[in-house]
Amino acid sequence: MYRPFVPAMAIPAAALALMVAGCNQTDAAGNAQATAAAQAKAEKTAAAAAQFGDRVRALPEGQRNGVFLRAIRDGGQACQDITGQYEAAAVAGKPTWVVTCDKTKPWVISFGGNGIAIVSEMTQAAGLPRKAG
């Protein structure tokens, strides 16, 4: 009777290979779930940002200027008066306005879904077009 020689390490190595293959399948499923969760979170954040933009847009001009003035000052910048503003195209999915301070200093203000304003000097984002429509 013929008995093939199987080294003692071959069986544990084969078992280890099967276990690792199973881990890779679990990792792939886990990666797919993580990707889906990240996408759902991004969509929820974008929707919240759009809703916050709607709220800012709905404010009377004086109150909207107050929001912009507060955002600029909270960012540690000097501004005595908002002298111009227009809504620009969204930046990174965030509602965005171009705001002029004291008739000279332009700022770009974007709002995230949590209501936090991101204030940048216009020189960093020169040429933002007005929002269409």
Side-chain angles (χ1 to χ4, degrees):
M1 174 165 154
Y2 173 75
R3 287 181 51 187
F5 174 73
V6 179
M9 294 300 293
I11 294 172
L16 180 61
L18 289 173
M19 288 189 295
V20 170
C23 289
N24 287 341
Q25 291 173 355
T26 303
D27 287 347
N31 288 342
Q33 288 175 344
T35 301
Q39 184 176 1
K41 182 178 180 182
E43 289 171 2
K44 183 177 179 182
T45 301
Q51 288 175 349
F52 193 83
D54 291 343
R55 290 174 50 196
V56 171
R57 199 174 295 111
L59 291 171
E61 184 176 359
Q63 289 179 0
R64 193 169 46 247
N65 285 346
V67 169
F68 298 147
L69 184 65
R70 179 70 187 259
I72 293 167
R73 288 180 176 173
D74 284 354
Q77 304 299 322
C79 182
Q80 296 302 312
D81 190 27
I82 301 298
T83 54
Q85 58 149 301
Y86 68 86
E87 187 172 1
V91 173
K94 297 178 176 135
T96 302
W97 279 262
V98 174
V99 177
T100 304
C101 233
D102 303 323
K103 296 184 181 179
T104 58
K105 186 81 173 178
W107 297 95
V108 176
I109 303 176
S110 298
F111 293 96
N114 55 5
I116 294 177
I118 301 161
V119 180
S120 306
E121 290 186 52
M122 183 65 170
T123 55
Q124 295 175 349
L128 283 176
R130 290 184 182 269
K131 182 179 179 182

